[in-house]
Each structure stands twice: as C-alpha cells, then as structure tokens.
C-alpha cells in the first residue's frame, strides 16, 4: 500500500543518527567505514541504520571492487515528501477512510497510466521483432526505451565491452552512443572496460521527469 510506504519512509527518518547519515551523504557517497568514523559509531551500527534507510528507499548502494558506497536517493526523498503533502492537502476534502481509499486509487491509476505510456512508447520505437527504429530525441521516451533494453541484461554479471556492443546491436547499430547512455543514466557502471548493471534504484526513471 502507498500509505505503508509513507509510514516506512518516515519511521526510517525517526532516528537522529540516520538523519546525520543523510546530512553527510548529501555531500556525496561514502562507504560504511568512513561513515562510522565520521559519526563515531561502530561499523555494525552503520550496517543496521543503512538497512533501515535502504528499505525505505532513502539510500541506495553501489559496489566498487570490494567496497560498497552509499548514495542519497534524492529523487525518492522528494517523491515521498511530496506524497505526504498531497495526503494532507486532500484531507481537507475527504473523511479519513475516503482520503486513504482515494490515495490508493490515485496511486493505482498513476501506475496504470505509466504502464500504458511505457507500452505506447515501446510500440512506437521498436519494430515487432524488437529492433529500435531510432533513438528517441525526447529524454523521457529515451529512458523508457533504454530501460526496456537493459532489462535483458543480468544483474551481478560482469560484461566485457564487446559483449555490451553485441547486445546493443540486437536493437540498433549505434552501439557506442547507446552504451554511453547506459552509463550516463546509471543503468550500468564501467570500470577497466568491464560493465555491470547498477541496482535498479540508481537507474534514471522516466516518471521522475516533470
């Protein structure tokens, strides 16, 4: 339920140490050992707090070799903050039961609308056999198409650059441009010519665009 997500979000913020963690991460990503040093707590304490923040979608992580870095999920924080303001605004016009029922209905409608929009874009830009007719010029449509493409890759697998090129060629011949877009939009990260999918929370999302 959308209401459950809001409660989880604000419960995760109801701890001074977690708020301090977010204030630190606002200046850039850090690994757990560095956070522990800055806050004067033990690494297991950081692990506990990061689990709560990750569950609420407030932070996400990315592995660099053997080190995990934590990032502030600013887009999701803005989304959840706006969601509670929307609830309060609608409370002026609805009873408590009607308010939350309406919130759930609106959430479901938005998800259905987004799914329909994604399907329309995919059908418009891809042929029936899955070939990309052209790279969309509009960023929102571009993100929808790229997300569709990267979902065919495996999480946790390390790809050589040639493997990514060959994969992209199944859709479009301009593999160099699309490969760069995969990295720029945080679908993948690249190190020493090796590519790996990022956690989905890091991906640029069409629905975050206004």
């Amino acid at each position: 339920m959308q209401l459950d997500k809001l409660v989880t979000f604000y419960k995760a913020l109801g701890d001074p140490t977690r708020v301090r963690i977010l204030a630190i991460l606002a200046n850039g990503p850090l690994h757990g050992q560095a956070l522990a040093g800055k806050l004067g707590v033990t690494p297991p304490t950081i692990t506990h707090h990061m689990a709560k923040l990750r569950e609420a979608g407030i932070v996400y992580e990315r592995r660099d070799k053997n080190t995990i870095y934590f990032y502030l999920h600013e887009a999701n924080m803005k989304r959840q903050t706006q969601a509670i303001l929307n609830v309060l605004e609608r409370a002026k016009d609805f009873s408590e039961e009607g308010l939350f029922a309406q919130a759930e209905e609106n959430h479901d409608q938005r998800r259905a609308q987004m799914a329909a929009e994604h399907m329309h874009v995919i059908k418009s830009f891809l042929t029936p056999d899955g070939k990309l007719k052209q790279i969309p010029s509009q960023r929102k449509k571009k993100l929808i198409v790229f997300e569709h493409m990267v979902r065919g890759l495996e999480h946790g697998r390390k790809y050589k650059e040639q493997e990514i090129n060959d994969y992209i060629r199944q859709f479009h011949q301009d593999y160099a441009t699309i490969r760069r877009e995969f990295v720029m939009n945080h679908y993948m990260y690249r190190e020493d010519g090796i590519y790996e999918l990022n956690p989905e929370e890091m991906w640029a999302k069409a629905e975050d665009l206004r």
Side-chain angles (χ1 to χ4, degrees):
M1 292 175 61
Q2 182 72 358
L3 180 58
D4 290 339
K5 291 181 180 179
L6 285 175
V7 171
T8 300
F9 176 80
Y10 283 99
K11 282 176 67 176
L13 294 177
D15 183 287
T17 299
R18 291 175 203 154
V19 175
R20 292 174 65 194
I21 289 173
L22 299 183
I24 294 171
L25 293 181
N27 293 305
L30 284 175
H31 54 75
Q33 196 74 33
L35 285 169
K38 285 180 175 290
L39 292 170
V41 300
T42 64
T45 298
I46 293 296
T47 299
H48 167 74
H49 287 304
M50 298 314 291
K52 297 292 185 181
L53 293 171
R54 188 170 53 245
E55 178 186 2
I58 299 172
V59 301
Y60 59 87
E61 61 187 47
R62 170 178 164 181
R63 181 180 293 276
D64 184 1
K65 295 183 180 178
N66 294 323
T67 304
I68 294 176
Y69 287 86
F70 296 100
Y71 293 72
L72 182 65
H73 199 322
E74 295 186 34
N76 198 40
M77 287 197 68
K78 291 177 182 177
R79 192 160 48 236
Q80 297 285 31
T81 301
Q82 186 59 50
I84 193 65
L85 293 176
N86 292 343
V87 168
L88 297 178
E89 183 63 28
R90 288 195 295 270
K92 300 174 182 178
D93 303 316
F94 290 91
S95 65
E96 180 179 349
E97 294 80 5
L99 170 65
F100 293 123
Q102 183 68 28
E104 289 300 317
E105 181 180 349
N106 290 344
H107 177 64
D108 291 342
Q109 288 177 349
R110 284 195 297 273
R111 289 184 61 183
Q113 289 170 356
M114 285 189 295
E117 181 181 5
H118 283 217
M119 184 61 68
H120 176 73
V121 171
I122 295 303
K123 286 184 175 180
S124 297
F125 283 91
L126 272 76
T127 64
D129 61 350
K131 301 293 184 182
L132 181 60
K133 300 174 185 177
Q134 64 185 64
I135 300 173
S137 57
Q138 184 182 345
R139 177 163 168 73
K140 187 172 183 179
K141 294 179 179 179
K142 187 185 297 186
L143 293 180
I144 292 172
V145 168
F146 289 158
E147 180 171 328
H148 171 79
M149 292 171 65
V150 299
R151 287 194 180 279
L153 297 168
E154 299 176 28
H155 280 281
R157 176 177 170 182
K158 297 182 184 299
Y159 292 89
K160 295 179 181 178
E161 187 165 283
Q162 187 59 50
E163 290 180 292
I164 295 298
N165 293 346
D166 292 341
Y167 176 77
I168 294 172
R169 279 198 191 98
Q170 300 177 72
F171 299 91
H172 197 275
Q173 287 303 307
D174 192 356
Y175 60 84
T177 295
I178 296 177
R179 190 186 65 226
R180 285 195 298 270
E181 291 275 3
F182 282 2
V183 175
M184 289 168 52
N185 291 296
H186 307 295
Y187 299 112
M188 310 191 80
Y189 73 95
R190 174 185 59 216
E191 183 177 25
D192 298 329
I194 299 297
Y195 293 73
E196 187 173 352
L197 281 176
N198 281 319
E200 190 169 337
E201 292 83 2
M202 293 179 63
W203 297 1
K205 292 288 186 179
E207 52 264 35
D208 290 335
L209 301 179
R210 296 290 185 267

